[in-house]
Amino acid sequence: MGIAALADAGKPYDVVDRFFAPGSGIPEDPATGSLHCILAPLFAEKLGRPRVTFLQAYPGRGGDLDCELKGDRVLLRGQAVTMLDGTLRIAPHP
């Protein structure tokens, strides 16, 4: 579940939000790219521009995301840390 609101005037971001998914084992996530792929088009329309900045306000750290609509896609910008690295192998059909 995501919660979002327009930020107060003068803040360095347009929208403040939080994300909770306790049913999926995530009590709260500090920065959620998939959430912002949904929020960015909604707030871009509300603000009348293709680029929107977000603060995901996770207590103690959180994340700043700069989102820009590019056609039917959302470009996400911000600092990140790799949490998982892996290889996906798909077996050919017999």
Side-chain angles (χ1 to χ4, degrees), residues 10-73:
K11 294 291 186 183
Y13 42 84
D14 301 309
V15 179
V16 63
D17 62 80
R18 292 178 79 172
F19 178 76
F20 307 88
S24 298
I26 305 169
E28 186 168 2
D29 193 7
T32 313
S34 58
L35 171 67
H36 292 88
C37 287
I38 296 168
L39 292 178
L42 296 172
F43 281 95
E45 182 177 340
K46 186 178 210 62
L47 295 170
R49 52 188 157 88
R51 195 166 182 176
V52 182
T53 56
F54 292 87
L55 169 65
Q56 187 162 338
Y58 183 85
R61 56 181 208 194
D64 296 309
L65 293 98
D66 180 356
C67 303
E68 184 176 1
L69 299 184
K70 292 281 192 176
D72 62 348
R73 298 187 182 264

